[in-house]
């Protein structure tokens, strides 16, 4: 008998087929988001789970399913997983870094540009039939080229955005991160480390790309927004909750900053109602990694991790991208 796994959200059928080769697979083909009780129930008898950001694995879920061995997250971020609780119970967690870096950086840039150049706001105006004539100040925005790009969180995606800004658009790049990156990567990205207040004060375009955790909750709130230039934009492609959305809506309404681009929201898929009322914000439904090739690569990497983590396939016992590899040594 094959071991049983749960694919907790709908995913590419060809990836499910790969899993079926090794496992007895239950798929959430309705793609309904399970509440905790449903998730606990669906996991009964399963040794592995293919998860996404909307599948929360915590101590309670684990304790109700002591047979669970591997959680393969189809995401680079893993704030949906209680990793210490998994490690304590010998459960391997994996994520999908690298394969989404460039697509996500492309989208971050697109969102920042749409925000600075007021692309969606002006399109809505045109669609409403309000465009009657050209005017010198119709939807004037701010330049990307030659401006200062500030990056909060300088991991792989932050670095990919820095490269686009420095090399493609002649931007001056500054960043803030928990720790400084190496001199060699700083040189390659043409990026300069600054403290957080300097980053907030000097950025023309602030890009948020840091992971979410209790420590990074509301890293950008009313006080931080007040330090930014009134002409500045803020783009968040990281996680909801890093920015205080209520404070951001207030700052946008008061034109304390010029505009924002948000792909992620606190408590998504709900969006703070005040954000829906302001016109100077571009809102997208968490799609920064959403290209066909990248989503397929993420799904295949999550499947590789699940297969190898459960002791199957050519990389048996050596999943490519573990989050808590210490579990493998236990
Ligand atoms: C995913 C993401 O689409 O990888 C991440 O961390 O935020 C996105 O690429 C999302 O988390 C679904 O799992």
């Amino acid at each position: 008998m094959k071991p049983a796994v749960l694919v907790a959200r709908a995913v590419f059928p060809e990836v499910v087929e790969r899993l079926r080769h090794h496992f007895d697979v239950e798929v959430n083909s309705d793609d309904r988001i399970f509440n905790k009780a449903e998730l606990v129930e669906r996991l009964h008898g399963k040794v592995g789970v293919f998860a996404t950001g909307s599948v929360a694995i915590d101590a309670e879920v684990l304790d109700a399913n002591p047979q669970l061995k591997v959680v393969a997250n189809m995401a680079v971020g893993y704030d949906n997983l209680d990793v210490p609780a998994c490690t304590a119970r010998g459960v391997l967690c994996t994520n999908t870094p690298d394969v989404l870096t460039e697509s996500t950086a492309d989208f971050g840039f697109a969102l920042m540009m749409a925000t600075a150049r007021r692309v969606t706001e002006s399109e809505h105006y045109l669609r409403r039939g309000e465009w009657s004539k050209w005017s010198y100040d119709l939807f004037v925005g701010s330049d990307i080229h030659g401006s200062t790009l500030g990056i909060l969180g300088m991991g792989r995606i932050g670095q990919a955005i820095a490269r686009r800004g420095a090399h493609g658009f002649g931007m001056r790049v500054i960043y803030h991160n928990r720790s400084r990156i190496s001199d060699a990567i700083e040189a390659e990205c043409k990026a300069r480390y600054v403290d957080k207040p300097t980053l907030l004060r000097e950025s023309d375009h602030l890009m948020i790309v840091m992971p979410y955790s209790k420590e990074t909750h509301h890293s950008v709130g009313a006080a931080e927004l007040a330090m930014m230039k009134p002409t500045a934009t803020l783009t968040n492609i990281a996680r909801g909750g890093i920015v205080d959305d209520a404070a951001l809506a207030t700052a946008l309404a008061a034109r304390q900053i010029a505009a924002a681009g948000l792909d992620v929201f606190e408590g998504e898929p709900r969006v703070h109602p005040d954000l829906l009322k302001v016109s100077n914000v571009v809102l997208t439904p968490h799609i920064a990694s959403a290209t066909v090739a990248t989503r397929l690569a993420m799904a295949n990497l999550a499947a590789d991790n699940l297969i190898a983590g459960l002791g199957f396939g050519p990389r048996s016992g050596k999943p490519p991208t573990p989050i808590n590899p210490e579990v493998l040594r236990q």
Side-chain angles (χ1 to χ4, degrees):
M1 223 175 59
K2 291 175 180 171
V5 301
L6 175 69
V7 175
R9 295 291 311 278
V11 74
F12 298 95
E14 59 265 47
V15 175
V16 174
E17 274 321 300
R18 283 191 58 209
L19 294 173
R20 284 198 202 286
H21 189 69
H22 305 281
F23 309 119
D24 180 7
V25 184
E26 178 179 328
V27 186
N28 173 8
S29 17
D30 297 344
D31 205 25
R32 229 167 29 78
I33 301 201
F34 299 142
N35 61 34
K36 194 189 279 201
E38 289 168 327
L39 180 62
V40 161
E41 211 237 287
R42 299 295 184 118
L43 281 173
H44 282 163
K46 312 292 191 310
V47 289
V49 57
F50 183 109
T52 70
S54 59
V55 180
I57 306 284
D58 61 14
E60 223 181 306
V61 172
L62 296 168
D63 287 340
N65 285 283
Q67 80 293 339
L68 194 66
K69 290 278 163 272
V70 179
V71 179
N73 216 28
M74 181 186 150
V76 65
Y78 47 84
D79 47 299
N80 57 312
L81 311 180
D82 184 340
V83 177
C86 287
T87 308
R89 290 160 181 79
V91 176
L92 176 74
C93 301
T94 66
N95 67 340
T96 59
D98 302 320
V99 291
L100 49 51
T101 301
E102 299 300 329
S103 299
T104 304
D106 282 351
F107 187 85
F109 230 86
L111 189 55
M112 177 179 77
M113 293 188 79
T115 301
R117 297 303 306 272
R118 305 174 67 179
V119 172
T120 57
E121 190 185 355
S122 60
E123 190 202 347
H124 293 157
Y125 163 91
L126 180 153
R127 283 180 187 271
R128 285 193 305 269
E130 290 175 27
W131 185 29
S132 60
K133 60 184 188 306
W134 178 94
S135 316
Y136 77 96
D137 60 350
L138 185 64
F139 288 105
V140 288
S142 60
D143 279 323
I144 296 292
H145 72 273
S147 66
T148 297
L149 170 61
I151 303 180
L152 190 53
M154 198 63 159
R156 303 172 188 84
I157 299 171
Q159 292 165 26
I161 289 169
R163 279 186 211 104
R164 282 160 176 74
H167 299 290
F169 290 81
M171 298 175 91
R172 169 181 171 250
V173 181
I174 53 178
Y175 76 95
H176 183 72
N177 197 43
R178 263 176 313 188
S179 50
R180 266 188 74 164
I181 54 173
S182 69
D183 290 351
I185 300 180
E186 277 190 359
E188 193 211 327
C189 296
K190 295 194 185 175
R192 189 166 61 84
Y193 177 86
V194 293
D195 60 23
K196 192 173 162 192
T198 306
L199 185 86
L200 293 164
R201 273 196 309 267
E202 294 190 4
S203 297
D204 293 312
H205 303 290
L206 178 67
M207 175 73 70
I208 298 173
V209 222
M210 72 212 282
Y212 179 79
S213 67
K214 277 202 291 292
E215 292 70 44
T216 62
H217 181 75
H218 285 189
S219 287
V220 178
E224 288 75 19
L225 291 162
M227 296 171 75
M228 293 175 67
K229 298 179 186 181
T231 49
T233 73
L234 173 155
T235 302
N236 185 7
I237 56 163
R239 276 293 179 273
I242 296 174
V243 176
D244 176 345
D245 284 351
L248 177 62
T250 305
L252 288 168
R255 306 275 159 171
Q256 198 176 17
I257 65 167
L262 304 175
D263 186 49
V264 289
F265 305 87
E266 283 191 273
E268 63 185 55
R270 285 189 312 278
V271 175
H272 195 291
D274 292 351
L275 285 172
L276 298 172
K277 289 184 202 138
V278 287
S279 57
N280 49 343
V281 60
V282 182
L283 305 166
T284 53
H286 202 148
I287 55 168
S289 66
T291 68
V292 178
T294 291
R295 284 286 167 83
L296 189 57
M298 291 166 70
N300 272 315
L301 180 53
D304 291 344
N305 277 311
L306 193 55
I307 293 166
L310 287 169
F312 292 86
R315 293 189 57 124
S316 171
K318 293 193 186 72
T321 50
I323 299 166
N324 54 354
E326 59 272 32
V327 166
L328 294 166
R329 292 190 289 270
Q330 275 165 22

